[in-house]
Amino acid sequence: MDTIERLYAPVSERASRDPAISAPDYKCDAIALRPAAAGSSFSWAMHFLPVQRRKAVYALYAFCREVDDIADGEASRLLKETLLLNWRNEIAHLYGGRPRNALTLGLHKAISLYGLRCHDFLAIIDGAEMKAQTDIRAPSFAQLDRYCERVAVAVGRLSVRIFGEETPAGERVAAELGRALQLTNILRDLVADANRQRLYLPRELLHTHGIFATTPSWVLAQPALPDVCRDLAVLAERHYAAAAEAIAACPRSTMRPAAVMLGIYRALLHELLARRWQKLDEPVRIPFSRQLALLLRHGLTGR
């Protein structure tokens, strides 16, 4: 699964001036988004933003959800490529000042207010194309990092600008936290990804622990799997530590949402480590009281 959580309720009605682009029929420029689960870590974190910035983040994540749904959908690869190409064209229209889609209409104001860059939106589509074109199985570290850069770091770069942070430190937050969150999602979603015939564990780690096959279900049944996951978790923890340092170099007022996401997802990683990837079919959750404590700690301090 991608760093973009399943944040929004299913959309029953879809409309667009371009029927080849599937977009929610939002009726106002606020983007009438509804978090799929009240109290999600994402929803909590974003409540530390002023209303206008929060609406911009919701519009961004709605875009991410749209392209991610295309990549994860049941359509043929050819149709997926066509739909993603349509989104590339829509981004071109957006930056040309002529958005045609209800969703990109919601982003139109944000790109000028917060300096959102076109290449980051295109990178997100690149990441969706990586999944749409082939089933990713045991990528190299270099391939995995390129995937993280597109599906997570690019989202982070857009997000920190919406938060109000355009400094090099903000860019480092996006780079480090994006990778940390994506690796945590990979370690959490092994079964869900295997059901889609995907395996994001890097081949170098698999080979180190004597696993040379790439069939997802077979790999998940190997006794050495916990050792592979532990090594990847160590890498994720390094990214969390680097992200925390970068956050500390930014004003507290801009980094509250990022700090909350870091705190909650880092705690999730520690829960995964404690479980040692046993009972993979059972979801790993942080108790509500612990999430609330993390929300207050990181949300109030911005660290």
Side-chain angles (χ1 to χ4, degrees), residues 5-6 40 54 126 151 180 183 213 254 264 285 292:
E5 298 176 282
R6 299 304 184 186
S40 70
R54 191 188 318 156
D126 289 340
V151 303
L183 293 179
T254 61
I264 291 178
R285 294 188 177 93
L292 183 59

Side-chain angles (χ1 to χ4, degrees), residues 26-184:
Y26 302 124
K27 294 185 178 180
C28 68
D29 63 359
I31 304 293
L33 303 174
R34 294 180 297 142
S40 70
S41 57
F42 174 87
S43 178
W44 287 355
M46 296 311 124
H47 273 85
F48 286 99
L49 291 172
V51 172
Q52 185 165 266
R53 292 183 186 274
R54 191 188 318 156
K55 290 175 180 177
V57 170
Y58 284 163
L60 166 62
Y61 278 70
F63 162 76
C64 294
R65 173 66 186 269
E66 288 292 320
V67 298
D68 192 46
D69 279 351
I70 292 171
D72 286 342
E74 300 298 325
S76 67
R77 296 196 191 280
L78 180 60
L79 179 55
K80 289 179 181 181
E81 290 179 8
T82 300
L83 293 173
L84 291 172
L85 177 59
N86 288 340
W87 274 110
R88 286 188 184 279
N89 293 335
E90 181 60 19
I91 294 300
H93 282 286
L94 171 63
Y95 277 86
R98 297 176 289 109
R100 304 170 301 166
N101 181 278
L103 192 154
T104 45
L105 282 170
L107 286 166
H108 187 225
K109 184 184 296 184
I111 64 172
S112 58
L113 282 176
Y114 309 124
L116 306 185
R117 297 171 296 191
C118 181
H119 68 79
D120 287 324
F121 285 101
L122 296 179
I124 294 167
I125 298 174
D126 289 340
E129 285 182 337
M130 289 180 72
K131 294 194 298 180
Q133 292 170 352
T134 185
D135 294 325
I136 299 175
R137 296 187 185 182
S140 67
F141 266 122
Q143 291 169 329
L144 178 61
D145 190 68
R146 183 162 60 251
Y147 178 73
C148 292
E149 172 74 23
R150 292 172 175 176
V151 303
V153 176
V155 180
R157 287 194 295 262
L158 292 167
S159 297
V160 296
R161 283 176 170 264
I162 294 173
F163 298 166
E165 192 58 56
E166 300 181 18
T167 65
E171 294 278 316
R172 289 197 298 275
V173 172
E176 299 294 346
L177 186 56
R179 287 175 170 83
L181 298 180
Q182 186 59 35
L183 293 179
T184 302

Side-chain angles (χ1 to χ4, degrees), residues 242-254:
E245 290 182 3
I247 287 173
C250 299
R252 296 175 187 269
S253 59
T254 61

Side-chain angles (χ1 to χ4, degrees), residues 182-197:
Q182 186 59 35
L183 293 179
T184 302
N185 280 344
I186 287 170
L187 291 166
R188 180 194 62 190
D189 296 332
L190 292 171
V191 171
D193 290 330
N195 289 339
R196 293 190 174 97
Q197 300 305 310

